[in-house]
Amino acid sequence: MKRSWGVWLVVAAFAVLLALLGRGLMLNPRELPSALVGKPAPIAQLQALPQLPNVQTAQRADLRTGAAPTATQLLGQVWMLNVWASWCVSCREEHGVLMDIARSAVVPLYGLAYKDKTDDALVWLRQRGNPYAASFDDATGRMGIELGVYGVPETFVIDRQGIVRHRSTGPLTQREWAEVIRPLVERLKRTQA
Amino acid sequence: MSTSDPQLEPQVKAVAEQLRCLVCQNQTIADSNSELAVDLRSQIREQLQQGRSEQQIADYMAQRYGDYVLYKPPVNAATALLWAGPFTLVVGGALAMTIAIRRRRPKPGSTSKEATATVTVPTGAGGADA
């Protein structure tokens, strides 16, 4: 009797180990936990960055790029930061979603051109439309490191206190905007009023 | 973009070897040639030039990219199983083995006699047959 109890213990321990390893196999190693969520966004460093020069587009004549957001725009209101680059293929995929977000006027969307040539970034914005209320120019990628960016595109939601509330990696989808980000933004706007 | 200082390079490499490249996972930042790894190496170089310690730089990276970048993860609640697991297994295994061996072995006192007996019986039996 005692002996079979020991055998079952070994079998149970093995099953637990197997379950753990099995779960490990199912996880997506590309989905990294974000270190920045719940922590202050590096707003001061962001404000120190140069801005892309003015861009006006046919689609969004009222949106321009060039004027740096003021401290009160980055602290005191909920906003979004989209990290992108003209050389980034999957940024094309999400561009339509970004335009929709800008059109919805639910939340100010700022852009961070990551390791991009200024001219290329401007051509992109002119040709495809400019969803950004302002565009920071991170030519060296230093700001990307501050944000823990490891691949573009990435999108952050920052609350009134300047705390990062959400980070999404990879191209934004209409669905993520509608089901995750928009409700979050609206909640943050309500609760922190 | 910092100017490379040949004397600093071994130290840059030492720090970079402890950090995981996020683009090409399973490579260290020292091994990887991805653009991000190159940038992070120059970041390490810059910070070393500013006199920051290796630990400070590792902390800087972990703050931005998470503990995930550290090849040697810190001990905390999330990594407790990772750190304690192997030792628990070894101790548990040793314990189980000791118990199993003790149980298999006959009562103390009679041990030596019986052990001799088991060895000698077959030989004795064989001898009797012949």
Side-chain angles (χ1 to χ4, degrees):
Chain A
M1 277 300 114
K2 260 188 184 171
R3 192 189 168 80
S4 71
W5 184 81
V7 170
W8 281 116
L9 193 74
V10 170
V11 170
F14 185 67
V16 168
L17 188 70
L18 217 61
L20 274 175
L21 293 177
R23 193 177 131 65
L25 276 181
M26 305 295 174
L27 292 176
N28 178 4
R30 293 259 156 217
E31 256 174 43
L32 305 182
S34 180
L36 216 58
V37 171
K39 294 199 189 124
I43 288 174
Q45 287 104 309
L46 206 57
Q47 281 188 303
L49 282 179
Q51 297 284 311
L52 287 183
N54 258 336
V55 170
Q56 303 226 356
T57 61
Q59 291 108 309
R60 296 291 297 162
D62 54 322
L63 280 181
R64 41 173 75 82
T65 292
T70 60
T72 49
Q73 280 174 314
L74 297 185
L75 262 179
Q77 72 168 350
V78 182
W79 54 286
M80 279 172 73
L81 180 71
N82 175 245
V83 184
W84 67 286
S86 65
W87 47 259
C88 150
V89 178
S90 47
C91 293
R92 273 169 224 176
E93 245 173 81
E94 66 165 11
H95 190 261
V97 182
L98 296 177
M99 292 303 281
D100 285 348
I101 294 174
R103 251 176 241 125
S104 76
V106 170
V107 57
L109 175 66
Y110 298 107
L112 180 82
Y114 174 73
K115 299 195 77 168
D116 209 348
K117 291 197 181 84
T118 307
D119 288 342
D120 293 350
L122 289 177
V123 166
W124 167 290
L125 292 176
R126 262 187 222 117
Q127 287 180 346
R128 292 169 197 266
N130 174 21
Y132 308 116
S135 282
F136 302 99
D137 190 1
D138 182 25
T140 60
R142 270 302 280 277
M143 194 62 219
I145 295 178
E146 286 302 322
L147 289 164
V149 167
Y150 59 87
V152 273
E154 288 194 14
T155 307
F156 298 84
V157 177
I158 294 118
D159 73 8
R160 286 177 211 272
Q161 274 79 45
I163 307 291
V164 177
R165 289 302 183 153
H166 179 82
R167 175 220 208 163
S168 83
T169 56
L172 268 190
T173 57
Q174 202 62 253
R175 192 177 161 171
E176 191 178 1
W177 163 244
E179 289 177 11
V180 182
I181 297 179
R182 188 174 181 151
L184 171 71
V185 164
E186 278 164 355
R187 205 182 69 229
L188 288 174
K189 281 166 83 174
R190 264 200 319 274
T191 54
Q192 294 189 317
Chain B
M1 308 302 143
S2 52
T3 49
S4 66
D5 169 3
Q7 287 194 313
L8 209 59
E9 284 317 295
Q11 213 186 344
V12 171
K13 194 160 177 278
V15 178
E17 271 171 351
Q18 295 163 27
L19 298 172
R20 186 202 298 262
C21 175
L22 293 111
V23 182
C24 27
Q25 301 176 353
N26 298 341
Q27 270 192 315
T28 66
I29 285 173
D31 293 334
S32 171
N33 282 320
S34 75
E35 252 191 83
L36 182 63
V38 174
D39 286 352
L40 289 176
R41 280 203 297 270
S42 70
Q43 184 70 31
I44 293 169
R45 194 172 301 125
E46 236 171 80
Q47 296 200 10
L48 284 172
Q49 280 166 349
Q50 287 162 13
R52 305 189 74 192
S53 73
E54 295 187 12
Q55 186 58 49
Q56 278 172 322
I57 297 171
D59 290 346
Y60 171 93
M61 295 295 176
Q63 267 165 27
R64 279 151 189 82
Y65 291 100
D67 289 342
Y68 185 82
V69 292
L70 305 174
Y71 265 115
K72 189 180 172 192
V75 187
N76 58 32
T79 58
L81 190 64
L82 179 71
W83 280 102
F87 300 106
T88 317
L89 279 181
V90 168
V91 172
L95 219 68
M97 213 163 78
T98 317
I99 292 171
I101 291 170
R102 282 252 175 87
R103 204 172 282 161
R104 209 162 288 169
R105 198 183 286 163
K107 300 274 178 300
S110 59
T111 312
S112 55
K113 269 186 199 168
E114 272 192 26
T116 329
T118 35
V119 175
T120 48
V121 163
T123 335
D129 273 345

